[in-house]
Amino acid sequence: CGMITTALNTLPIGSTDGGRITQAVFGTKGKQLPSFLSYLGLGLDLLAPGFGLTWGLTTIFLQRGNERNVRDQFTDVDESRRKVALAMLVLTFLILVPGPGAFSQDFPAF
């Protein structure tokens, strides 16, 4: 449960940890697509089935405040930190996307 909670917090949405990391690495415009895909996955209950929709609604209403400006917006993040941020995003989605057998229990056997 702790790993799922941490993975939800590192989704690139709102002002969560993942949202701030994504904004720092890819910029404000670079955050829009991952943020949209995260909200879509949570809304369709593809990420963290069972409570992903609840988390998505919580972030929409409670985590959508204005972002603080970064102290140094002109210096790019170095390549090693970009790789760590990208690995974090990939790991987050791997944790939250259910395995292939997760949906097979919902359908009757033929």
Side-chain angles (χ1 to χ4, degrees), residues 1-66:
C1 186
M3 189 182 316
I4 293 173
T5 304
T6 302
L8 285 170
N9 196 34
T10 56
L11 282 173
I13 52 178
S15 59
T16 60
D17 291 341
R20 292 184 180 183
I21 291 170
T22 305
Q23 183 176 353
V25 173
F26 302 113
T28 304
K29 294 202 184 252
K31 178 183 166 185
Q32 292 175 351
L33 180 64
S35 200
F36 172 75
L37 293 176
S38 296
Y39 278 126
L40 185 66
L42 289 171
L44 296 176
D45 211 22
L46 297 175
L47 296 175
F51 56 89
L53 182 60
T54 305
W55 181 257
L57 291 173
T58 301
T59 56
I60 285 174
F61 292 112
L62 300 177
Q63 298 285 328
R64 299 288 298 183
N66 293 332

Side-chain angles (χ1 to χ4, degrees), residues 46-107:
L46 297 175
L47 296 175
F51 56 89
L53 182 60
T54 305
W55 181 257
L57 291 173
T58 301
T59 56
I60 285 174
F61 292 112
L62 300 177
Q63 298 285 328
R64 299 288 298 183
N66 293 332
E67 289 295 322
R68 296 184 199 133
N69 290 330
V70 184
R71 284 186 193 164
D72 184 7
Q73 296 181 1
F74 303 106
T75 305
D76 285 336
V77 177
D78 62 343
E79 192 62 30
S80 63
R81 290 181 189 227
R82 283 184 188 269
K83 289 179 183 178
V84 169
L86 188 61
M88 182 224 31
L89 287 173
V90 169
L91 186 61
T92 295
F93 285 105
L94 287 176
I95 290 170
L96 294 178
V97 174
F103 296 111
S104 63
Q105 298 171 4
D106 296 336
F107 301 108

